[in-house]
Amino acid sequence: PVLEDLDADVEEAAATLGATPWQTFTRVLLPAIYPALLSGFTLAFARALGEYGSVVFISGNMPLRTEIVPLLIVTKLEQYDYAGATAIAVVMLVTSFLLLLVVNLLQRWSHRRFEVRPGA
């Protein structure tokens, strides 16, 4: 929403005054989106901490029954098994990215398939 509210004329003015794309980003766009970016990061971090705390609190941590990945990573870190904790985290990260890719592809496919065409 912040970028949508920003006039394109501001970017064009920077370009006509000889600003490079990097200068336009750092001197025009970044100051405009910085407050929204900071508040978004803060809210996401707070939610992540709350989710982690609630999930760890609720889980029973019974081996092979109610173990959860965040608690498993913390356990590995407490045992100084940094390689094991990193491996679990990387697997979860790759899985998350793959799921996001699948969701994005499904949205694109459904948008194309069910798009309302004029005159139809």
Side-chain angles (χ1 to χ4, degrees), residues 17 19 22 34 47 60 73 76 104:
L17 292 173
W22 178 250
Y34 183 73
R47 178 161 182 178
I73 292 172
K76 294 281 186 191
N104 194 4

Side-chain angles (χ1 to χ4, degrees), residues 84-118:
T86 303
I88 294 169
V90 167
V91 167
M92 290 306 297
L93 183 65
V94 168
T95 303
S96 298
F97 281 139
L98 287 175
L99 286 172
L100 285 172
L101 178 67
V102 167
V103 167
N104 194 4
L105 291 174
L106 283 172
Q107 285 179 340
R108 188 176 297 163
W109 174 80
S110 68
H111 179 70
R112 269 193 259 138
R113 178 158 170 89
F114 301 113
E115 182 179 8
V116 176
R117 294 189 179 100

Side-chain angles (χ1 to χ4, degrees), residues 5-87:
D5 290 342
L6 187 65
D7 288 331
D9 296 341
V10 177
E11 290 180 64
E12 291 175 12
T16 58
L17 292 173
T20 64
W22 178 250
Q23 289 173 328
T24 302
F25 176 74
T26 57
R27 295 184 182 170
V28 176
L29 294 177
L30 190 59
I33 65 170
Y34 183 73
L37 193 64
L38 187 62
S39 63
F41 176 79
T42 304
L43 290 171
F45 185 72
R47 178 161 182 178
L49 285 179
E51 290 290 331
Y52 173 77
S54 65
V55 167
V56 168
F57 179 71
I58 291 172
S59 76
N61 198 26
M62 295 179 350
L64 302 175
R65 294 195 63 206
T66 60
E67 284 181 316
I68 58 170
V69 173
L71 197 55
L72 192 58
I73 292 172
V74 168
T75 303
K76 294 281 186 191
L77 290 173
E78 287 174 349
Q79 296 170 354
Y80 300 104
D81 183 10
Y82 298 121
T86 303

